[in-house]
Amino acid sequence: MALYVQKYGGTSVGSVERIEAVAEKVKGFRERGDDIVVVVSAMSGETNRLIGLANEIQEQPDRREMDVLVSTGEQVTIALLAMALKKRGVDARSYTGGQVRILTDSAHTKARIQDIETSRMRADLEAGRVVIVAGFQGVDEHGSITTLGRGGSDTTGVALAAALKADECQIYTDVDGVYTTDPRVVAGAQRLDKITFEEMLEMASLGSKVLQIRSVEFAGKYHVPLRVLSSFQDGPGTLITIEDEETVEKPVISGIAFNRDEAKLTVMGVPDIPGVASRILGPISRENIEVDMIVQNVGGDQTTDFTFTVHRNDFERAQSILEQVVTELGARGCSGNAKIAKVSIVGVGMRSHAGVASKMFDALANENINIQMISTSEIKVSVVIAEKYMELAVRALHTAFNLDKADTVCE
Amino acid sequence: MALYVQKYGGTSVGSVERIEAVAEKVKGFRERGDDIVVVVSAMSGETNRLIGLANEIQEQPDRREMDVLVSTGEQVTIALLAMALKKRGVDARSYTGGQVRILTDSAHTKARIQDIETSRMRADLEAGRVVIVAGFQGVDEHGSITTLGRGGSDTTGVALAAALKADECQIYTDVDGVYTTDPRVVAGAQRLDKITFEEMLEMASLGSKVLQIRSVEFAGKYHVPLRVLSSFQDGPGTLITIEDEETVEKPVISGIAFNRDEAKLTVMGVPDIPGVASRILGPISRENIEVDMIVQNVGGDQTTDFTFTVHRNDFERAQSILEQVVTELGARGCSGNAKIAKVSIVGVGMRSHAGVASKMFDALANENINIQMISTSEIKVSVVIAEKYMELAVRALHTAFNLDKADTVCE
């Protein structure tokens, strides 16, 4: 008998029929003797409907009241799911975040969980009840309703699993697991049975948006085994867990991530003196533009080229800021390119394997793909290339690192 | 500077535009220096939408979960109203029933208020804030969400006014007050400036459905001055209050109430012996049929006729029960009539005035309206007449008791 915290997202509870299907699934787990805590999101579309109402009144709605408003979305789902379980003879009880109680700080619309009381849930579990908790929401020390921000239901699930010391936190979603790369780009992409928290973080932040990043961090920190599964089909999904020291044969690379959301900016001929980086990036960050990759190369003539990437939506704004900076710094000029893509190889295995980066560069060179920027971390290597080569690069790397499914290698 | 509890019902907050209008109204009160606690219902249609979702799952939804579900309706309104006030520079804070906290018993879907904590509301009022409370809901001692049943927002308003010792509880609705009778029936019907709680109870239960009966009882019990006003037009409305001993000239009759929801049943030739009434009405009440008027006349031949009224929807069910009763009692037979109407004159003044009832009977006789049943209480006289005469009777009585507007008397 195990204790599972199961989280069902918006599309999994998007209609009364879907809610009934979730109830059927949960009933199956109960019949096998497992204890179940269910975390649910708002029915898909509902949160946007509520935000729409608020925006009719205020463009920037009051944050405290926004939380009072949108938290009703999950409250509707918990009640309906409890009814669907009771109808099937499965005893269940629903709780809002405040009722559990999930204590957060007072940062409305993006609160962080501070503490979770488990006594009430434990009593229900002991009485044989399924506990249903509204995701994404909590209550601050003053008793005001808070929300954890978009996607926060994953975080609720992980936090409950940690507090209850659950055997697993299962995130039911519309994909059946984490893949070596996007199957829409590489036909031979494979579902991973296992991936480490760190790898998942790199994969998620690079564009494989299966799980909310914060929930993965949280799961890693509290060692909560996290499993991503499909709510529409059966299957083992992907287990996200700590690095298993005993596994001898680790794959060097777990997956290939990519995105085309970025744009590249270069300031050319910058005097190579201290403080230049902050004089370039200071004005950018003061405009709330987030910078991702940064590369600086020392040239031979006491000047340097300084390149960084921003979100593509911020490209034009960043460019006009840089024109000002060029004048101030006496740099030679600036250039930009929005038609780029970032492709990354991710894997904890590269820590103990030399030559991973050069294997990557070789594979790209074989396809005549020019590398515009390179950035590395402990468990990933990212390159920026021309956008038009993105799919080609991903497929080449997927094959080069032996990630293709056995039956698709010859394709 | 006064403290008002203002309740706005579903049509008054039926859209974002309406909510903005309520905010404008509340802002006006704040600018005059009054302290305001606002109680709101769910946006019109919302409660039915939620019940519809529940009914897709369960015909008889679990009551605890039903309360979790439908209480979201008011929660949406409080948040939107708070935003609309903040947008106007009026500081405001919203609370669910559980947050206030409005403590109720655990009778889900029809809970009764047991206690209200006022410290939080008082602190907000002292800080210059408008307090917005979700109507119709509370929380039981276990922290479970409860609702007071349909129309319960009026009760929330009155209960808050009592707990806060407010100067007045103002119920904003789609009519501009309580009238001497329905203006759709009598063109000369007048808005009453004042009416007593007892009169209002008689008027409400007789079909003038302006206020929820329970809220009037509650207001009477705790001496909360209650005012009914229109949320769509300005005006003093009608004040419902305790009898003012100092007013010398009280109108004898305050209003004429009527309804055509009832049906009449008669058991004829019943033996005139003890226990007959309970042998007739026992089987009726065991079938959960409510009985309104009851009249029994002793005849000369040791038998009597026993007549009572039930809701028209229960007429056929009651009739088939009576057929059984007639056999058991050895009565002569039974008869029924669903085409009846009840017309009542209501007024505290009749306590000190003789001849009110005969004046009523005279007025009806002048119009050749036959009286089928008569029933009296301290402050009302009700008669049952043929349904087709109802409007005629109401107009005749309205004139006979001098209730017509001055400028319509000659109509």
Side-chain angles (χ1 to χ4, degrees), chain B residues 61-115:
Chain B
D62 181 81
R63 287 169 179 275
R64 179 189 185 277
E65 301 303 335
M66 198 64 183
D67 282 350
V68 173
L69 181 70
V70 295
S71 62
T72 61
E74 291 76 31
Q75 192 171 327
V76 167
T77 318
I78 58 172
L80 294 176
L81 180 57
M83 290 175 191
L85 281 166
K86 294 219 159 198
K87 173 172 139 184
R88 287 168 173 76
V90 179
D91 199 6
R93 204 166 271 183
S94 77
Y95 296 102
T96 64
Q99 285 178 314
V100 164
R101 100 195 230 265
I102 297 174
L103 184 72
T104 72
D105 59 25
S106 300
H108 286 290
T109 74
K110 51 182 181 190
R112 291 193 164 252
I113 296 174
Q114 291 181 329
D115 192 31

Side-chain angles (χ1 to χ4, degrees), chain A residues 57 65 94 99 120 142-143, chain B residues 65 87 94 99 120 142-143:
Chain A
I57 295 174
E65 300 303 334
S94 77
Q99 285 178 313
R120 208 159 171 177
H142 310 294
Chain B
E65 301 303 335
K87 173 172 139 184
S94 77
Q99 285 178 314
R120 209 157 169 178
H142 310 295

Side-chain angles (χ1 to χ4, degrees), chain B residues 293-354:
Chain B
M293 292 170 78
I294 304 169
V295 172
Q296 187 183 345
N297 247 337
V298 182
D301 58 348
Q302 323 264 286
T303 68
T304 182
D305 294 343
F306 189 96
T307 304
F308 59 94
T309 63
V310 297
H311 194 280
R312 208 174 274 192
N313 294 342
D314 295 325
F315 179 55
E316 284 173 22
R317 220 149 46 92
Q319 223 169 3
S320 66
I321 293 168
L322 278 197
E323 274 154 24
Q324 182 70 25
V325 170
V326 163
T327 318
E328 287 172 19
L329 281 178
R332 205 162 62 240
C334 66
S335 69
N337 184 356
K339 301 209 161 170
I340 58 161
K342 183 163 76 166
V343 176
S344 309
I345 55 173
V346 176
V348 289
M350 71 172 71
R351 281 184 190 143
S352 49
H353 280 75

